Amino acid sequence: MAKKVLITGIAGQDGSYLADLLLAKGYEVHGIVRRIAIEDSTHKLKNLVHLHDRLKLHVASLDNVLSLIKTVREVMPDECYHLAASSFVSYSFEDEMSILNNNINATHYLLAALKEFVPHCRFYYAGTSEMFGNVEQSPQDERTPFNPRAIYGVSKVAGYHLVKNYRSQYGMFACSGILYNHESPRRGYEFVTRKIISSAVKIKLGLLDSVSLGNLDARRDWGYAPDYVQAMWLMLQTDAPDDFVVATGETHTVREFVETAFNCLGLDYRQFVKTDPQFFRPTELVDLCGNARKITDELGWQRTRTLQQIIVEMVESELALCEGRKG
Ligand code: F7E
């Protein structure tokens, strides 16, 4: 019988790539979506369009514990990937209460529901490099202390400890992936990489004059999203649950990303890119760079794309989208 998987955040970048991967592996894939996503499926479910009727979507809300219990009981999953969260770091400076409530409660409700009704289910939790925050050592690995500097990171550290507790107290197979930034053509427009690519392509096509960004000297460890969902799956196929850092071990500045993207289109970014204080963060993390040695050595994980290749793929996909060659 096919293994059953339940994915929260299935309509997002990671959720949709994970659905692709697990369908290809023969899983029966279930996903949780909000009612509003079904009502506005053209926009909110656009990453799942190519999967048509191969998925089983359940309307539920992560802040409604009853809807989660109902879904868990209906699906009785063998694996559950909890990817849904308020994940845009900038918003977390503006709306601390709802980020904390949503992110922490959703993780707790889901773990509690699984423990009650399907305790053998293997659980993946989407941790983040934002948990390391203002670091004292670089690169970071699984032993680096957490020092989050945004509420989003604080909420994710709380979820990480919930996962650890359910693992040690109740014996659940629950793992946290500590993932650094990961990008692709399915990245949301609010994140810097997609914002840069979509603006550069619009400028190239004469649809936009310029783009305003924040801190061009900010550095990030950027990987390729499909590689990172492969890492999530690997974590749930081991003999014992554990936590793993997933990263490239390389950092680049936003400016380097901008320059490469504009160069791909034959443009000089200095003519089109402005900076605007509204896009600067109150605290900027300077030294986030991950050491993925553990997952590489223990699970054989490897990245398949350089940043240059990711940028080229994003540019080509955005051009196709803007020129109406892609849905
Ligand atoms: O910012 C700088 C900004 O919003 C990247 C999420 O997936 O990865 C992501 O969080 C950098 C920052 O991602 C603009 O200051 C400059 O230094 O693309 P981002 P993020 O905040 O790193 C982590 C691992 C997660 O877990 C998160 O969920 O780019 N930056 N100018 C800008 N950023 C944005 N968004 N917009 C700008 O105009």
Side-chain angles (χ1 to χ4, degrees):
M1 231 173 54
K3 270 194 187 171
K4 285 191 278 185
V5 60
L6 180 62
I7 305 174
T8 74
I10 192 167
Q13 169 186 260
D14 294 4
S16 62
Y17 282 120
L18 187 63
D20 290 341
L21 179 78
L22 298 182
L23 283 169
K25 288 186 184 295
Y27 281 72
E28 182 181 306
V29 179
H30 297 255
I32 288 178
V33 290
R34 281 173 299 171
R35 182 161 307 282
I36 192 177
I38 303 277
E39 284 161 4
D40 182 17
S41 59
T42 318
H43 294 110
K44 298 211 158 37
L45 299 181
K46 62 180 185 308
N47 288 334
L48 302 177
V49 170
H50 63 293
L51 297 175
H52 299 291
D53 50 4
R54 298 179 63 206
L55 299 172
K56 295 180 197 303
L57 297 182
H58 301 257
V59 172
S61 168
L62 289 171
D63 55 15
N64 177 345
V65 68
L66 282 179
S67 72
L68 287 181
I69 289 176
K70 197 167 153 267
T71 310
V72 163
R73 291 191 71 172
E74 231 169 85
V75 179
M76 298 295 278
D78 299 291
E79 293 176 14
C80 175
Y81 296 81
H82 176 37
L83 311 183
S86 304
S87 64
F88 185 43
V89 176
S90 273
Y91 294 158
S92 78
F93 293 110
E94 291 156 22
D95 189 8
E96 299 187 350
M97 305 292 172
S98 59
I99 304 277
L100 275 176
N101 283 338
N102 296 346
N103 289 358
I104 299 175
N105 289 345
T107 307
H108 189 208
Y109 294 161
L110 208 48
L111 280 166
L114 291 169
K115 171 183 155 269
E116 200 58 31
F117 300 110
V118 50
H120 72 268
C121 177
R122 296 187 167 202
F123 183 79
Y124 172 85
Y125 171 69
T128 161
S129 51
E130 286 287 318
M131 301 189 320
F132 293 126
N134 206 2
V135 289
E136 280 170 14
Q137 71 179 66
S138 210
Q140 300 80 44
D141 63 23
E142 294 78 4
R143 285 157 305 180
T144 306
F146 297 136
N147 190 18
R149 277 294 167 268
I151 284 294
Y152 167 68
V154 173
S155 76
K156 285 286 178 176
V157 171
Y160 167 89
H161 286 297
L162 279 167
V163 168
K164 252 192 145 155
N165 269 273
Y166 271 72
R167 183 159 80 208
S168 60
Q169 289 186 18
Y170 306 121
M172 280 180 70
F173 194 111
C175 308
S176 292
I178 305 175
L179 272 51
Y180 283 64
N181 299 53
H182 42 286
E183 315 302 314
S184 77
R186 297 188 198 167
R187 192 57 147 147
Y189 286 95
E190 66 275 37
F191 297 98
V192 77
T193 56
R194 185 72 185 273
K195 180 176 171 184
I196 293 165
I197 301 280
S198 76
S199 309
V201 164
K202 288 199 183 83
I203 290 167
K204 177 71 182 177
L205 298 177
L207 304 169
L208 192 72
D209 295 330
S210 64
V211 56
S212 295
L213 297 170
N215 186 356
L216 297 182
D217 297 316
R219 302 189 82 88
R220 282 293 184 271
D221 177 333
W222 278 298
Y224 184 52
D227 290 344
Y228 286 43
V229 303
Q230 170 78 15
M232 295 173 192
W233 177 76
L234 284 172
M235 283 180 221
L236 295 199
Q237 315 310 312
T238 54
D239 296 334
D242 205 348
D243 306 322
F244 294 91
V245 162
V246 186
T248 70
E250 254 174 42
T251 63
H252 297 271
T253 60
V254 172
R255 188 186 306 280
E256 285 171 66
F257 192 103
V258 169
E259 188 170 13
T260 309
F262 277 73
N263 280 349
C264 278
L265 293 157
L267 301 172
D268 177 353
Y269 82 94
R270 285 166 297 195
Q271 291 172 21
F272 306 102
V273 175
K274 303 175 190 164
T275 53
D276 182 332
Q278 70 163 305
F279 299 115
F280 280 71
R281 306 263 164 99
T283 47
E284 185 64 76
L285 306 174
V286 281
D287 229 359
L288 282 184
C289 176
N291 175 356
R293 174 162 234 155
K294 182 174 163 186
I295 192 164
T296 304
D297 288 353
E298 293 184 17
L299 308 186
W301 178 81
Q302 276 189 333
R303 66 167 167 151
T304 64
R305 298 274 200 287
T306 62
L307 185 59
Q308 167 84 26
Q309 290 169 324
I310 299 168
I311 293 173
V312 170
E313 183 179 334
M314 288 178 78
V315 167
E316 283 170 356
S317 164
E318 200 75 32
L319 271 170
L321 195 66
C322 286
E323 290 169 346
R325 288 184 276 122
K326 197 173 130 183

